[in-house]
């Protein structure tokens, strides 16, 4: 059973779509379930020179929990510096959604990994 928060983010996903002039893109897939997540980042520097996630969007082809974790991840990461965003742990997203059924916990990990890939993409540019 999904929590109300999961159902809310699944039915009304936040920050769904693409950023055409994104500064970085991260894509990951889970070969077992076939779900794919893509994260787009737009960044700018704050006064202290840290990179801040000004905008973040996602495209997810996958299960309801994958949509909900992508949506929640974008809310958690938006406005954070890269350093702060990297502190989001694999299961923090599931926790923020009030929990996920055990077989769906990997959806939280996939969302985490998609953001990590996007940040890596930015840092290696
Ligand atoms: Fe694999 Fe949701 S079932 S990401």
């Amino acid at each position: 059973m999904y929590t109300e928060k999961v159902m809310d983010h699944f039915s009304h996903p936040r920050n769904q779509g693409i950023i055409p002039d994104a500064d970085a893109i991260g894509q990951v897939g889970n070969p077992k379930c076939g779900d794919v997540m893509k994260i787009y980042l737009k960044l700018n520097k704050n006064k202290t020179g840290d990179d801040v996630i000004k905008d973040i969007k996602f495209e997810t082809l996958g299960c309801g929990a994958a949509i909900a974790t992508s949506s929640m991840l974008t809310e958690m990461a938006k406005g954070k510096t890269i350093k702060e965003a990297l502190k989001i742990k694999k299961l923090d997203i599931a926790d923020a959604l009030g929990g996920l059924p055990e077989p769906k916990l990997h959806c939280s990990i996939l969302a985490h990994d998609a953001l990590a890939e996007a940040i890596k993409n930015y840092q290696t540019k």
Side-chain angles (χ1 to χ4, degrees):
M1 276 300 264
Y2 287 132
T3 64
E4 242 173 69
K5 255 192 184 162
V6 173
M7 290 313 294
D8 178 36
H9 278 265
F10 170 55
S11 332
H12 310 285
R14 326 299 200 257
N15 306 304
Q16 194 171 27
I18 65 165
I19 301 176
D21 59 341
D23 295 314
I25 298 175
Q27 183 172 320
V28 289
N30 182 309
K32 279 192 193 147
C33 63
D35 290 3
V36 178
M37 285 185 194
K38 203 167 178 179
I39 294 285
Y40 297 81
L41 297 179
K42 192 80 197 154
L43 298 127
N44 63 7
K45 295 222 183 273
N46 65 12
K47 282 182 199 150
T48 53
D50 289 319
D51 292 306
V52 176
I53 299 175
K54 198 179 129 209
D55 198 10
I56 174 167
K57 292 212 185 288
F58 77 91
E59 276 185 311
T60 292
L61 288 174
C63 70
I67 310 258
T69 53
S70 306
S71 169
M72 178 51 90
L73 169 79
T74 61
E75 286 211 318
M76 290 168 82
K78 203 169 190 171
K80 282 198 165 70
T81 64
I82 294 262
K83 247 185 255 166
E84 290 164 344
L86 284 171
K87 286 186 190 148
I88 299 171
K89 294 196 228 53
K90 290 182 189 285
L91 295 180
D92 284 354
I93 306 148
D95 288 347
L97 286 165
L100 282 171
E102 209 274 325
K104 292 287 177 183
L105 284 177
H106 77 271
C107 311
S108 179
I109 296 169
L110 200 63
H112 165 277
D113 292 352
L115 176 64
E117 270 304 305
I119 292 175
K120 198 163 92 189
N121 175 240
Y122 179 66
Q123 289 174 333
T124 53
K125 265 188 179 174

